[in-house]
Amino acid sequence: MKQEKIIVLDFGGQYNQLIARRVRECSVYCEVHPYTLSIDQIRDMEPMGIILTGGPNSVYDPSSPSCTKELFALGIPVLGICYGAQLMAYVLGGRVLTAPVSEYGKTIVTADTKERLFEGIKETSVAWMSHTDYIAEVPEGFHVTGHTDHCPVAAMSDREKKLYAVQFHPEVVHSEEGFRILRNFVLDICGCAGDWRMDSFVEKTIRELKEKIGDGKVLCALSGGVDSSVAAVLLSKAVGEQLTCVFVDHGLLRKNEGDEVESVFGPEGPYKLNFIRVDARQHFYGKLAGVTEPEQKRHVIGEEFIRIFEKEAGKIGAVDYLVQGTIYPDVIESGLGDSATIKSHHNVGGLPEHVSFREIIEPLRMLFKDEVRKVGLELGIPEKLVFRQPFPGPGLGVRIIGEVTEEKVRIVQEADAIYREEIDKAVSAWRRKHEDSGAETGSDVVSADGCKVNFGGKNFPDWMPDQYFAALTNMRSVGVMGDFRTYDYAVALRAVQTDDFMTASCSALPHDLLFTVTGRIVNEVKGVNRVLWDLTFKPPGTIELE
Ligand code: XMP
């Protein structure tokens, strides 16, 4: 059976991935492609609908990304958004002008609710605008279906040809009726059934992997992170014992993390896969001795990780396939520029160069992060692993300022475990209180691509950080414990909220939580007599300390 799909043609807009996310929220599979896709390529894909994104250019600039008239004559419904709307108007003979007043931000749009695209929405609603040019005259056959105070054509359509355009951005959460508009386009106008579900993804992927791999040998570098874990379990369901997972414990993991990963993927776990846990802790501590410069530390850790993985792979011998946990945001090509590069995913230090394999398998390359999490739950992977917060490849190595030693690793592991335990407790208490009182609970957590994620159907308080951890400063200071003077380390605690990890603010954790965590760490972690709270935003700070 063919997978029904919508394609998004990217004209360089900021929200291209967000459009695809929203379409997938309608349970319709969606892919983002550069605008340079040819008409034949588009036809071959057999999309149920096409969405043209926004972009920073002006249609009159000859170097601007463009499309041909044929795109609109395929008989496939098209929705143009912002620049995509102007392009539709321009290419089909309408007029686009530079607006005397640019509209930016929240704007009131009045829409013709008799229009199919706007069925069921409010006649006037807030929508997100970001444009300088505007459609001054619609092409022949089109009707104006929406306007704002400054924009005579905020929406237009040619119903017969199934061509629709909106000047505003329905994909962003600030557009009140945006999601309903996209739903109307995808389900009603394009006629999609909406059967893209994670359970069918799992079934289909396992079947395809079985066919592809046959009796080949597969190798997977397992980090214990969400993506590699989900990829490994999918593969194990498909080819069972033909899969070998190598998990390198570099001694820079969080407390008990190595055992937790082994309990799921090791011989006692539910998946019965060939699992090799390499205890390389002392090797790493040895290599890191005397290394204090942050970049050099990262380099040493990345390099050694690959060497050890290669050594283990060498013992297994030639493999047919290497598994990588690449996900969709890593592979989407940018619409602009002729030499669009595909970003590669570097879990720890990149791909090993000397491991011999025939092909790389990336079973998650079409999924967004929250879809990967859904697949993880579908596969029965414990929630604790599925909802793990991001953890850097170099691990605690970048959370210990200065030289890494086994003793410092112990300190930061223990402090971090207490911190995480207390946050868990505070969240549970918050949930009990709010759910008991019957009040509306929490806000959604925003994922890396700016979408709201409802983690496993649970709610979180507003202060819930997206990432939080303990780090060890390289500073010692004087304290008093009992009747004795101490001269111990200071632990720094961090809790940040962020959509994309490029910028971050600090979470306003409740005061009682701050005091409890501080008290427990200085009392329970030997070698620590001071706790400092790092409230630096990014920028100017970074999330990790090194
Ligand atoms: P920074 O410290 O740059 O971190 O503000 C941004 C996000 O990236 C994570 N991070 C890493 N992830 N390998 C990774 O896989 C790395 O070397 C690495 N360094 C930072 C960090 O945890 C945060 O989520």
Side-chain angles (χ1 to χ4, degrees):
M1 212 179 68
K2 269 199 80 68
Q3 172 81 61
E4 59 181 28
K5 80 167 84 137
I6 297 286
I7 62 171
V8 171
L9 291 185
D10 176 15
F11 288 89
Q14 299 171 56
Y15 306 122
N16 57 12
Q17 291 195 32
L18 203 49
I19 299 172
R21 283 291 309 111
R22 293 282 176 259
V23 173
R24 290 198 191 179
E25 279 170 23
C26 304
S27 302
V28 175
Y29 181 65
C30 183
E31 285 175 3
V32 181
H33 290 279
Y35 72 93
T36 46
L37 222 55
S38 71
I39 292 293
D40 285 341
Q41 284 172 309
I42 294 174
R43 216 183 265 121
D44 289 348
M45 288 179 178
E46 297 179 39
M48 301 281 285
I50 299 168
I51 299 180
L52 314 181
T53 74
N57 302 77
S58 173
V59 290
Y60 286 109
D61 181 345
S63 62
S64 289
S66 193
C67 65
T68 60
K69 259 187 183 167
E70 286 174 283
L71 180 69
F72 304 106
L74 289 169
I76 302 169
V78 182
L79 172 65
I81 295 176
C82 195
Y83 180 77
Q86 293 161 13
L87 196 62
M88 185 187 288
Y90 178 67
V91 169
L92 295 176
R95 236 163 37 110
V96 176
L97 294 177
T98 299
V101 184
S102 327
E103 281 179 306
Y104 186 82
K106 292 180 180 175
T107 311
I108 302 288
V109 172
T110 306
D112 174 1
T113 53
K114 289 190 288 305
E115 172 61 71
R116 265 173 107 180
L117 190 64
F118 299 138
E119 204 171 294
I121 75 163
K122 288 186 286 189
E123 195 177 342
T124 56
S125 66
V126 173
W128 186 260
M129 285 280 201
S130 174
H131 69 119
T132 309
D133 288 358
Y134 73 106
I135 301 168
E137 234 173 74
V138 300
E140 208 183 304
F142 276 78
H143 295 277
V144 177
T145 56
H147 67 270
T148 72
D149 282 352
H150 299 290
C151 184
V153 187
M156 64 173 192
S157 73
D158 178 341
R159 258 173 270 182
E160 214 170 288
K161 299 206 174 103
K162 298 188 196 155
L163 304 178
Y164 295 82
V166 287
Q167 181 57 62
F168 54 90
H169 288 272
E171 69 276 22
V172 304
V173 284
H174 312 288
S175 291
E176 277 180 308
E177 299 282 11
F179 185 59
R180 205 164 307 187
I181 292 170
L182 286 175
R183 262 181 77 94
N184 285 346
F185 178 70
V186 168
L187 300 182
D188 182 31
I189 295 169
C190 300
C192 292
D195 52 9
W196 165 251
R197 298 243 152 52
M198 287 308 117
D199 50 352
S200 50
F201 170 86
V202 168
E203 220 174 276
K204 180 169 158 271
T205 307
I206 292 176
R207 202 174 48 238
E208 287 170 357
L209 286 170
K210 264 188 190 148
E211 276 166 28
K212 182 186 175 84
I213 297 168
D215 55 7
K217 247 205 261 182
V218 188
L219 180 65
C220 175
L222 192 66
S223 69
V226 190
D227 304 340
S228 70
S229 300
V230 172
V233 174
L234 265 177
L235 261 301
S236 87
K237 299 255 181 197
V239 297
E241 294 200 352
Q242 289 156 249
L243 170 71
T244 302
C245 290
V246 176
F247 169 61
V248 178
D249 181 351
H250 52 21
L252 303 165
L253 299 168
R254 287 167 291 189
K255 191 175 177 184
N256 299 333
E257 197 166 6
D259 293 342
E260 281 167 17
V261 172
E262 183 165 354
S263 71
V264 177
F265 299 104
E268 307 297 320
Y271 301 111
K272 307 283 172 265
L273 36 85
N274 296 314
F275 176 82
I276 300 174
R277 176 175 176 175
V278 187
D279 182 357
R281 287 176 296 179
Q282 295 308 326
H283 176 84
F284 274 87
Y285 298 148
K287 290 283 177 190
L288 287 168
V291 182
T292 54
E293 205 279 318
E295 277 312 299
Q296 203 192 341
K297 263 203 252 177
R298 280 175 178 273
H299 183 78
V300 170
I301 298 168
E303 174 78 21
E304 288 311 310
F305 188 91
I306 295 300
R307 294 287 89 79
I308 289 177
F309 181 71
E310 281 178 349
K311 202 167 128 200
E312 288 306 316
K315 290 185 198 161
I316 299 164
V319 292
D320 300 287
Y321 301 97
L322 185 72
V323 182
Q324 282 215 298
T326 315
I327 66 170
Y328 199 46
D330 303 321
V331 296
I332 296 182
E333 289 179 57
S334 153
L336 293 184
D338 293 331
S339 58
T341 44
I342 298 176
K343 286 182 241 159
S344 58
H345 179 82
H346 297 284
N347 228 344
V348 175
L351 203 63
E353 278 172 23
H354 310 295
V355 178
S356 86
F357 57 89
R358 201 151 40 103
E359 208 182 316
I360 294 177
I361 293 187
E362 298 174 313
L364 309 175
R365 60 181 286 115
M366 287 305 167
L367 302 189
F368 286 103
K369 192 81 173 186
D370 54 323
E371 291 175 320
V372 173
R373 291 199 161 107
K374 281 188 199 145
V375 169
L377 293 177
E378 199 63 45
L379 290 166
I381 301 175
E383 277 194 20
K384 206 170 167 177
L385 268 180
V386 169
F387 293 107
R388 260 178 57 142
Q389 48 171 323
F391 187 63
L396 301 182
V398 292
R399 293 182 181 170
I400 292 171
I401 296 179
E403 188 184 14
V404 174
T405 64
E406 196 170 354
E407 173 64 359
K408 287 183 181 172
V409 169
R410 177 198 58 83
I411 291 176
V412 79
Q413 279 179 335
E414 286 181 16
D416 187 69
I418 290 171
Y419 187 26
R420 284 189 288 141
E421 190 184 317
E422 289 302 328
I423 292 222
D424 280 352
K425 274 198 228 164
V427 170
S428 303
W430 179 91
R431 242 181 237 146
R432 273 195 306 276
K433 188 169 157 200
H434 286 75
E435 285 167 11
D436 285 353
S437 70
E440 180 80 3
T441 48
S443 58
D444 289 309
V445 174
V446 174
S447 75
D449 55 8
C451 298
K452 283 185 172 180
V453 180
N454 191 352
F455 281 164
K458 290 179 185 149
N459 284 300
F460 288 91
D462 288 340
W463 51 258
M464 183 70 197
D466 295 299
Q467 193 171 8
Y468 51 99
F469 56 86
L472 190 62
T473 72
N474 208 13
M475 178 194 97
R476 290 203 287 169
S477 65
V478 174
V480 56
M481 219 171 258
D483 289 330
F484 297 99
R485 174 187 188 270
T486 57
Y487 185 56
D488 283 332
Y489 282 111
V491 159
L493 297 179
R494 201 132 173 68
V496 297
Q497 291 183 320
T498 172
D499 309 341
D500 55 9
F501 298 87
M502 305 296 287
T503 59
S505 58
C506 293
S507 302
L509 299 182
H511 274 106
D512 49 353
L513 175 62
L514 304 184
F515 288 125
T516 308
V517 173
T518 305
R520 276 196 63 191
I521 290 176
V522 287
N523 281 311
E524 295 174 35
V525 184
K526 196 164 161 282
V528 177
N529 66 354
R530 201 173 288 271
V531 169
L532 307 172
W533 288 88
D534 181 354
L535 300 181
T536 320
F537 283 26
K538 174 183 180 177
T542 53
I543 296 175
E544 302 292 346
L545 270 68
E546 284 200 338

